[in-house]
Amino acid sequence: MLSGPAGRLEALLWSTSDEGAGARPPRAAVVCHPHPLFGGTMHNKVVYQAAKTIHRFGLPVLRFNFRGVGLSQGTHDKGVGEVGDVQAAIDFLAQEYPGVPLLVAGFSFGSWVGLHAGCGDARVAELIGMGLPVGDLGGRSFSYLDDCVKPKLLVSGEFDRFGPEAVLRATIERFAPQARENTKVEIVAGGDHFFAGHLDELDHVIAGWLEVRLK
């Protein structure tokens, strides 16, 4: 259980086998789940796949349930309080792995709140957003990304109805030049919002980006 702004947050940390004897992992990561009101939990298939891919590179990975999900306390706050939940996860990782650069990843709703928290935190070095719901904002905004110059990978399915490729690319075109330069976009051919039947391709995309980032 993590200490969150609305109470305890249920979490699961995958540590690594080589953390002993003062060894430092190259990064520590948190992966944020999709919308709590539509069945999103830390056990979501996309979240699990991303966590598994990241962990394969020797990075400890933290997943957690947002407020009101599973055993986490509190109630859904339309993304406002959930940014604080992500911040609590970041704080935990920073305490467990002092001085280690952090990576924040999120899927759908989790990308909106996760990247928001990660962009503004100096301890976070990199970002991964999957299935950004840029075509179904419903009062949400990704404008905080406009000036976020941290290296980031944005992945969507070719047929993502909540984040069509054209809308995603138009969103990125509004970024400041350096933010745009540090953003890599990958479109998974044949994939939908949930990457159904294409989780292997998602794994390949994330792994390819991490290989470059961790050299």
Side-chain angles (χ1 to χ4, degrees):
M1 291 291 180
L2 309 182
S3 178
R8 295 174 306 176
L9 295 172
E10 180 185 13
L12 178 63
L13 175 66
W14 284 348
S15 57
T16 59
S17 59
D18 57 354
E19 288 180 20
R24 280 167 39 113
R27 303 283 190 281
V30 58
V31 185
C32 306
H33 71 71
H35 208 299
L37 299 187
F38 298 96
T41 78
M42 65 177 172
H43 303 296
N44 170 271
K45 289 182 179 179
V46 175
V47 171
Y48 179 80
Q49 178 62 69
K52 189 167 66 169
T53 303
I54 294 168
H55 191 248
R56 196 167 71 236
F57 282 82
L59 278 59
V61 181
L62 178 73
R63 287 178 287 148
F64 70 96
N65 279 331
F66 284 116
R67 58 184 64 197
V69 177
L71 299 178
S72 292
Q73 295 178 322
T75 56
H76 180 64
D77 194 31
K78 300 180 180 179
V80 179
E82 283 79 5
V83 173
D85 295 345
V86 182
Q87 192 67 57
I90 291 171
D91 289 344
F92 171 80
L93 283 178
Q95 183 175 359
E96 288 291 306
Y97 303 96
V100 172
L102 305 181
L103 165 66
V104 173
F107 169 47
S108 195
F109 172 90
S111 72
W112 176 48
V113 295
L115 272 58
H116 194 176
C119 276
D121 195 307
R123 297 167 296 183
V124 176
E126 294 144 338
L127 306 161
I128 298 176
M130 301 165 287
L132 275 68
V134 292
D136 183 38
L137 291 174
R140 295 184 290 267
S141 171
F142 281 92
S143 60
Y144 62 82
L145 288 177
D146 292 353
D147 297 305
C148 182
V149 299
K150 295 180 180 183
K152 63 187 77 66
L153 170 67
L154 305 181
V155 192
S156 286
E158 180 184 6
F159 302 114
D160 186 341
R161 64 190 180 95
F162 299 111
E165 178 182 357
V167 179
L168 177 62
R169 293 193 183 278
T171 299
I172 295 166
E173 280 302 309
R174 295 194 293 269
F175 289 1
Q178 189 178 357
R180 189 165 59 244
E181 182 180 343
N182 289 340
T183 301
K184 182 174 180 58
V185 179
E186 291 282 1
I187 305 298
V188 174
D192 62 8
H193 183 64
F194 300 96
F195 301 96
H198 295 274
L199 291 176
D200 286 347
E201 289 96 318
L202 178 64
D203 169 79
H204 179 76
V205 166
I206 295 174
W209 187 76
L210 285 175
E211 284 174 359
V212 174
R213 295 299 310 164
L214 298 176
K215 279 183 178 177

